[in-house]
């Protein structure tokens, strides 16, 4: 298996633009997580999907952020409109069963909003 | 709010030194404790998932112990090598989320 796949690896955009980050979890994993990593706050959970259903989105910062998982092999995290404070590394991770099992992380997307 | 604390925040050792760091977590409603290794410019990679009080796990020169009654875990690295340089994160589940500590950043000089 190729592991968790994320795209793009780097994204530079201007304030106000829409940004879409993509994730393909490991086949057979039914839990998918989006994290954001910043110097100030470390690694923080944004949203968790189980069997394609959003279970916990309490970490999503505000309405500008949205996430979808239309099928078991694909998820998106969208920021619209983007702001400079959204600049961070966004990781997607998957596991076989929720937060209690080992999570496999993708390579991350480094987002810079100018 | 569940709080996971790690200490020290950073550590610098010489090649060949053995070292250890601490992860503290709430002991109530404990389910599991994860350790991850995070190299610069890469993504976190799981080292151990521990569930039993008194458990000890080992992977090569890295080992970890768990005390669920008092709420701490130690990660040990024996004979540190430059390739061990990374940030070591611990995490514990809280509901549907995995709560991470801020990590201990280890730097090993040759």
């Amino acid at each position: 298996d190729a592991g968790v796949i994320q795209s793009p690896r780097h994204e530079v955009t201007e304030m106000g633009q829409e940004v879409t980050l993509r994730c393909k979890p490991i086949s057979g994993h039914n839990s998918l997580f989006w994290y954001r990593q910043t110097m100030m706050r470390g690694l923080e959970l944004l949203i968790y999907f189980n069997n394609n259903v959003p279970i916990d989105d309490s970490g999503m910062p505000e309405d500008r952020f949205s996430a979808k998982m239309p099928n078991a092999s694909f998820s998106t995290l969208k920021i619209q409109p983007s702001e400079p404070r959204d600049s961070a590394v966004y990781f997607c991770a998957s596991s076989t069963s929720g937060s209690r099992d080992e999570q496999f992380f993708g390579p991350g997307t480094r987002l810079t909003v100018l | 709010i569940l709080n996971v604390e790690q200490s020290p925040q950073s550590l610098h050792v010489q090649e060949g030194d053995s070292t250890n760091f601490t992860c503290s977590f709430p002991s109530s409603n404990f389910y599991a404790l994860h350790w991850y290794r995070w190299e610069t410019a890469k993504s976190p990679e799981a080292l151990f998932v521990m569930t039993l009080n008194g458990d000890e796990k080992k992977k090569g020169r890295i080992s970890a112990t768990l005390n669920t009654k008092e709420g701490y875990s130690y990660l040990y690295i024996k004979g540190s090598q430059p390739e061990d340089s990374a940030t070591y994160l611990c995490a514990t589940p809280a509901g549907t989320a995995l709560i991470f500590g801020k990590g201990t950043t280890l730097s090993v000089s040759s």
Side-chain angles (χ1 to χ4, degrees):
Chain A
D1 199 313
V4 176
I5 299 172
Q6 289 186 250
S7 65
R9 294 292 305 275
H10 302 273
E11 177 81 25
V12 180
T13 191
E14 292 188 345
M15 182 173 64
Q17 295 298 304
E18 178 179 297
V19 174
T20 299
L21 312 181
R22 296 172 177 79
C23 175
K24 180 179 180 347
I26 292 173
S27 177
H29 284 190
N30 59 10
S31 296
L32 183 140
F33 307 83
W34 281 100
Y35 291 93
R36 178 171 67 177
Q37 189 246 340
T38 61
M39 290 290 290
M40 292 291 291
R41 301 171 72 123
L43 198 61
E44 53 179 345
L45 178 70
L46 299 176
I47 188 168
Y48 157 53
F49 290 89
N50 190 50
N51 292 323
N52 314 337
V53 176
I55 302 299
D56 182 357
D57 65 355
S58 58
M60 295 285 263
E62 48 197 272
D63 292 346
R64 297 184 298 106
F65 285 68
S66 63
K68 293 182 180 179
M69 192 165 184
N71 57 62
S73 60
F74 184 65
S75 176
T76 59
L77 178 68
K78 187 176 292 186
I79 308 172
Q80 166 63 18
S82 57
E83 296 182 4
R85 61 192 167 117
D86 301 330
S87 298
V89 181
Y90 291 81
F91 287 99
C92 175
S94 70
S95 74
T96 53
S97 178
S99 62
R100 297 176 171 185
D101 294 327
E102 173 185 353
Q103 294 188 11
F104 294 81
F105 284 78
T109 294
R110 181 172 293 279
L111 173 64
T112 303
V113 183
L114 303 174
Chain B
I1 295 177
L2 188 149
N3 206 24
V4 178
E5 302 281 349
Q6 291 189 248
S7 63
Q9 184 177 347
S10 62
L11 194 54
H12 189 135
V13 301
Q14 295 293 315
E15 183 176 359
D17 289 349
S18 293
T19 187
N20 66 86
F21 9 102
T22 306
C23 172
S24 301
F25 52 87
S27 54
S28 59
N29 299 317
F30 174 83
Y31 188 86
L33 191 284
H34 298 220
W35 279 102
Y36 288 82
R37 181 170 180 272
W38 194 357
E39 288 183 73
T40 302
K42 294 187 178 179
S43 51
E45 190 175 292
L47 287 171
F48 309 113
V49 178
M50 309 174 77
T51 57
L52 299 175
N53 183 44
D55 202 3
E56 181 171 344
K57 297 220 171 182
K58 189 174 181 180
K59 185 181 287 189
R61 294 178 291 98
I62 304 177
S63 61
T65 60
L66 180 67
N67 183 323
T68 61
K69 295 187 187 306
E70 296 181 41
Y72 64 84
S73 175
Y74 294 136
L75 190 79
Y76 299 91
I77 302 178
K78 184 178 178 181
S80 303
Q81 299 296 309
E83 58 265 31
D84 296 328
S85 298
T87 296
Y88 292 83
L89 297 170
C90 68
T92 192
T96 56
L98 193 61
I99 307 299
F100 284 86
K102 293 280 172 52
T104 293
T105 298
L106 174 67
S107 176
V108 183
S109 301
S110 57

